[in-house]
Amino acid sequence: MTAPFLIGENMTGGYGAVDILHDCTLAVEPGEIAVIVGPNGAGKSTAMKAVFGMLKLRQGSVKLMGEDITGLTPQARVRKGMGFVPQTHNIFTGMTVEENLEMGAFIRQDDTIRDTMGQIYDLFPILKQKRYQKAGELSGGQRQQVAVGRALMTQPKVQMLDEPTAGVSPIVMDELFDRIIEIARTGISILMVEQNARQALEIADKGYVLVQGRNRYTDTGQALLADPDVRKSFLGG
Amino acid sequence: MDILNALVAFLNFIVVPGLAYGSQLALGALGITLIFSVLRFSNFAHGDTMAFGTAFVILFTWWFQSMGITAGPLPTALLALPLGILVTIAMVLATDRVVYRFYRKQRAKPIIVVIVSTGVMFVMNGLVRLIIGTSEQNFTDGARMMLNPQDFKAWTGLAEPLAIKTTAAISVVAAVICCALLFWFLQRTRTGKSMRAYSDNEDLALLSGINPERVVMITWIIAGALACIAGTLYGLDKSYRGIVYFSLLMPMFAAAVVGGLGSPVGAVVGSFIVAFSELIVTNAWRKIFSYLVPPEWLGDGLYQALSTDYKVAVSFTILIMVLLFRPQGIFGGK
């Protein structure tokens, strides 16, 4: 079996003296959607931050395309092709939508930035309408679109999303999930943490159920949805 | 005719000096607000940075004058200004390297850095004393008046003169040019946008690959240049004494806070609010009123709300009122 595209392997670590993650493993392949679900305080966001290098690991490693990137800073990982959308404070509120996207492409030197922006406007048509409006004046769902769009501007190979649907209405949530599927179809790997476990697992190629910083169940999204234990414990029956 | 005379007196005592003083404050307040929004602390050393820059402009002016180089009707200091700006930029960058960077790496709380900047202020103040002394220096040359009061009276036949000092006109023109350049830079260029992004959301700016050290360096360069220009214009228009720049700190901070700390537009608007408030409160209105109402109504008073000695109280009052009732300022800063 070939090495996974991106893998955080046997990650153990935390913010201070106490470990939050215990021997936790997450992996994603190109064009795949991997979803991390689990109860509150399970270390879902922490696990993803660990993959992105925002957390010091005591044990374990993170590998991107076979290359060990455990020692790299988050900024260096962005240059390696990893995009990250934080859960909150994920847009430049005082800048226009278009400027947000431009800032996303800050590290790019090529002259196809306009093309990428066009693709993002195709993906999120509402952003094109509001391109000259300040991002901070948009609705919650639109702000999430700006946040995802900003991260996509770097043309990442892996897009990491920390609860992209937090605080948006169910209709907007469905739409965001549709967009995320579209992004994955272009060959970008998606690794996301989701609170809305059932809907997220429905679109997931791979699901990780974390409990207290450990992998509890790992399977395809459909299999997890069908698993009676997972249903009973985490999906409310 | 009386109304015209009142209007001319109003222009002469309030509008013209207010525009000049407001322009000088604006250039200083812009530096304060930029440093606040990018480096996230109130730079108490800004007044003394202005004094430092101006001291070097004066030295270069004397040097130019000794070589017989002048700018004709304009002050020679304008020729010396670029050199002074370079020295000021070198000074603020060196200060950042030696002092502020250490606290930035430690992620020190803003209040600690404010105290640090007070220390920098004292050092800068001492340096200025060593370099140019404590006494008053007058370095203005060239044509004194752009609009001569006698000429104005002769042309219009009015009793009231209107004078526009060359230095006042230069202040306004320089402020307009600097503001236009600064706003163009912040709104249109990639580097300017990255500065705004960094000020807006530091963590996300890092995730977007924006280099914080570069943003900080550019901020110091701009703030240093603006401080030197503001200080020189103020020195040309009034006169130069190091200690006066320290007392400019209060109106400049009031201006930045009124407009909303972190908002460049706010800093400019706030500066004019502070400048005009000071003039309106400390002006003796008797002369202007005397054209508008019969003399017997006026009595003996000067109609001056506050002696000019107390003008700093005006900015202090504005500062407190804003902090009490609208702490985010007019343009919603931080």
Side-chain angles (χ1 to χ4, degrees):
Chain A
M1 195 185 139
T2 55
F5 184 68
L6 170 71
I7 183 163
E9 222 170 359
N10 309 115
M11 299 183 296
T12 300
Y15 297 102
V18 184
D19 287 340
I20 298 172
L21 297 177
H22 306 278
D23 204 22
C24 175
T25 298
L26 304 168
V28 62
E29 297 293 342
E32 223 182 43
I33 299 176
V35 175
I36 309 168
V37 296
N40 285 333
K44 304 185 293 285
S45 292
T46 310
M48 194 158 75
K49 284 178 181 162
V51 174
F52 193 60
M54 293 165 92
L55 182 75
K56 211 168 163 56
L57 290 179
R58 285 205 303 110
Q59 277 163 40
S61 61
V62 182
K63 290 193 183 107
L64 180 67
M65 293 183 286
E67 186 192 351
D68 192 327
I69 56 168
T70 317
L72 294 185
T73 60
Q75 290 90 280
R77 291 178 206 221
V78 170
R79 287 172 198 274
K80 289 269 178 202
M82 295 172 72
F84 181 65
V85 179
Q87 186 180 349
T88 54
H89 304 290
N90 49 19
I91 53 168
F92 299 112
T93 49
M95 303 176 83
T96 65
V97 170
E98 185 145 316
E99 285 171 339
N100 265 275
L101 298 184
E102 274 176 51
M103 287 299 108
F106 193 81
I107 53 170
R108 285 175 56 186
Q109 300 294 332
D110 53 302
D111 45 5
T112 57
I113 292 173
R114 286 277 141 197
D115 301 339
T116 317
M117 205 178 276
Q119 288 163 14
I120 285 164
Y121 285 145
D122 290 342
L123 189 65
F124 302 116
I126 188 78
L127 297 190
K128 189 166 189 174
Q129 271 179 45
K130 311 229 168 189
R131 62 207 286 185
Y132 300 122
Q133 207 168 324
K134 278 192 181 166
E137 295 167 358
L138 303 182
S139 72
Q142 290 162 356
R143 288 164 76 126
Q144 291 296 14
Q145 296 181 19
V146 175
V148 175
R150 184 208 60 83
L152 286 174
M153 284 299 291
T154 49
Q155 291 188 316
K157 301 185 192 86
V158 185
Q159 179 68 277
M160 307 174 72
L161 306 160
D162 193 352
E163 297 200 21
T165 65
V168 305
S169 71
I171 300 167
V172 176
M173 182 178 82
D174 286 344
E175 210 192 299
L176 270 173
F177 280 152
D178 286 347
R179 294 293 98 79
I180 289 167
I181 295 170
E182 275 184 53
I183 295 166
R185 287 211 182 112
T186 63
I188 297 174
S189 310
I190 307 274
L191 178 63
M192 66 174 178
V193 169
E194 254 305 325
Q195 198 74 255
N196 301 299
R198 187 184 293 272
Q199 290 89 338
L201 286 176
E202 271 165 16
I203 66 161
D205 297 295
K206 204 183 272 169
Y208 293 93
V209 181
L210 297 193
V211 177
Q212 293 183 342
R214 289 189 169 82
N215 291 87
R216 174 66 70 87
Y217 302 96
T218 305
D219 212 326
T220 64
Q222 293 304 325
L224 287 175
L225 280 172
D227 186 326
D229 284 346
V230 176
R231 289 177 71 100
K232 211 170 82 189
S233 319
F234 304 109
L235 303 173
Chain B
M1 265 338 221
D2 279 353
I3 289 177
L4 270 184
N5 272 317
L7 188 68
V8 169
F10 181 71
L11 285 173
N12 196 34
F13 291 110
I14 306 284
V15 177
V16 172
L19 286 176
Y21 180 43
S23 303
Q24 292 148 11
L25 282 185
L27 293 174
L30 275 173
I32 286 176
T33 221
L34 281 177
I35 289 176
F36 181 85
S37 62
V38 171
L39 289 117
R40 290 164 225 282
F41 74 93
S42 300
N43 183 16
F44 282 5
H46 204 73
D48 283 286
T49 308
M50 283 164 61
F52 179 87
T54 314
F56 273 90
V57 170
I58 294 173
L59 293 181
F60 286 124
T61 305
W62 288 341
W63 183 47
F64 281 160
Q65 284 168 338
S66 72
M67 293 190 301
I69 303 172
T70 62
L74 296 175
T76 312
L78 289 187
L79 296 176
L81 189 56
L83 296 174
I85 289 174
L86 289 181
V87 175
T88 317
I89 289 173
M91 181 65 185
V92 290
L93 287 180
T95 312
D96 183 70
R97 190 66 184 262
V98 178
V99 183
Y100 295 118
R101 199 166 73 157
F102 172 77
Y103 292 94
R104 198 157 59 242
K105 291 269 178 280
Q106 293 202 324
R107 290 189 165 257
K109 290 198 185 88
I111 186 68
I112 294 174
V113 190
V114 169
I115 305 298
V116 169
S117 83
T118 313
V120 171
M121 175 185 87
F122 285 123
V123 173
M124 202 87 95
N125 190 298
L127 274 177
V128 171
R129 284 172 193 227
L130 283 176
I131 293 166
I132 204 158
T134 54
S135 54
E136 189 165 320
Q137 310 287 349
N138 197 336
F139 61 111
T140 313
D141 56 3
R144 209 174 110 72
M145 289 294 172
M146 198 179 84
L147 179 63
N148 199 301
Q150 269 75 41
D151 292 349
F152 180 84
K153 279 211 263 191
W155 291 333
T156 58
L158 289 173
E160 279 298 317
L162 176 64
I164 299 177
K165 283 198 288 181
T166 315
T167 51
I170 291 173
S171 292
V172 176
V173 171
V176 169
I177 293 172
C178 288
C179 287
L181 281 176
L182 181 66
F183 287 112
W184 170 80
F185 171 77
L186 289 176
Q187 296 295 331
R188 292 276 173 265
T189 65
R190 205 171 93 100
T191 311
K193 284 178 191 173
S194 74
M195 247 174 87
R196 279 165 58 217
Y198 183 82
S199 138
D200 193 313
N201 188 335
E202 193 178 331
D203 295 327
L204 198 60
L206 287 175
L207 288 185
S208 305
I210 293 167
N211 179 357
E213 286 302 309
R214 202 177 112 88
V215 169
V216 166
M217 187 181 82
I218 290 164
T219 307
W220 278 118
I221 290 175
I222 296 173
L226 287 174
C228 186
I229 297 170
T232 303
L233 293 175
Y234 187 84
L236 280 173
D237 198 31
K238 313 287 193 296
S239 72
Y240 179 84
R241 265 179 74 206
I243 194 73
V244 171
Y245 287 80
F246 166 73
S247 56
L248 271 183
L249 208 54
M250 181 55 84
M252 287 191 305
F253 264 100
V257 172
V258 168
L261 261 177
S263 156
V265 182
V268 175
V269 174
S271 296
F272 286 102
I273 292 176
V274 169
F276 280 105
S277 307
E278 273 192 17
L279 284 162
I280 286 169
V281 173
T282 58
N283 183 48
W285 288 85
R286 184 185 176 85
K287 185 173 231 170
I288 296 171
F289 287 159
S290 69
Y291 289 109
L292 297 174
V293 297
E296 59 270 22
W297 290 11
L298 273 177
D300 298 326
L302 277 171
Y303 294 90
Q304 184 179 23
L306 214 56
S307 149
T308 45
D309 296 340
Y310 290 109
K311 68 175 180 196
V312 71
V314 178
S315 26
F316 203 61
T317 311
I318 293 176
L319 189 60
I320 290 173
M321 297 294 254
V322 169
L323 288 177
L324 276 178
F325 296 110
R326 197 177 157 82
Q328 74 275 35
I330 300 171
F331 289 87
K334 292 171 187 171

